[in-house]
Amino acid sequence: MLYQVGGIRGIAHAGVLKALEDNNITIDIIGGTSSGSMVAMLYASGYSPYNIYTLFKKYSNEIVSINTKPLIKSYMFSKKITLKGLKTGKSVEKVFNEVINKQGIFKMTDIKMPIVVPTVDLMDCREYVFTNNPPKDEAKYITNIEVGKPVRASSSFSAVFSPCNFEKHAFIDGGALDNIPVKEVKKQGADIVIAVKFNSDTIKEDSNIMDMTMKTIDIMGNKIAEENLSQADYILNVYTDKTGLLDIKKADSCYRYGYEAVSKNIENIRNLICKL
């Protein structure tokens, strides 16, 4: 099972997991990018889908609130990269460390369920993958790291958060190169991969700037994900009703949309599993 970038829409992934559990479908391997990484990390750490949903609602204001200063005030390139005026993302890292630590999990290697969380290094323009189960000895896989850092790194959407500095790296949103990490989940040994993809909203004459921004994100993300999606065994399309990147008031709706998407496709998913 793997999940896509999407800001507040990411809560829909918890609804997807809840519906699968209600239909006795077990997830053995999970992966996610950006907001998808948040759900993936919480689920792999032992939180139930409903608990994930309530945690999203509880901490969403702290996570998505940004400074009122201009988005990009200045750049400073050295061993660390800082974009003043943007949210640092430290609140994301802090929240996820605190929440997941309550499960007795402190580093990626403490997680039992195989998990992959992609990110991109702004310095060398390469993809890196945080995981507790590296498929082979490659530099792109990072394992020895506290649990909050991968979520912060993969969720560092450039228009909202500063890059996440770690050792020699400056990580940005994993969706820049790997929006839906099918290949990485396959490398973990998954027999059936269900990819969750958000339906792109239609732009109309009365569409506002956020509608157009989300449409742009969807167009870019879908293009990036094309090759990966072609390798997925099932693509679950989730309608999210023009939910903006930071549109907290639609959290309940997004959770419901994720659940409903599974309910509408459950027979096809069951048939796929039965064939295996």
Side-chain angles (χ1 to χ4, degrees), residues 176-192:
L177 288 178
D178 197 353
N179 200 25
I180 305 180
V182 177
K183 289 181 182 178
E184 294 299 332
V185 170
K186 290 269 189 182
K187 287 180 183 179
Q188 295 291 322
D191 295 312
I192 295 176

Side-chain angles (χ1 to χ4, degrees), residues 224-275:
I224 292 168
E226 276 182 3
E227 183 180 354
N228 265 337
L229 285 173
S230 68
Q231 298 183 41
D233 298 286
Y234 197 85
I235 301 172
L236 187 69
N237 291 291
V238 179
Y239 168 75
T240 54
D241 191 24
K242 294 187 177 181
T243 300
L245 192 70
L246 309 177
D247 198 355
I248 297 172
K249 66 181 183 294
K250 289 191 176 180
D252 293 335
S253 297
C254 287
Y255 180 76
R256 186 177 71 253
Y257 293 145
Y259 193 98
E260 291 173 349
V262 173
S263 299
K264 292 175 183 177
N265 290 270
I266 192 60
E267 289 307 316
N268 292 333
I269 295 172
R270 282 202 183 107
N271 290 337
L272 179 64
I273 294 172
C274 287
K275 287 180 182 179

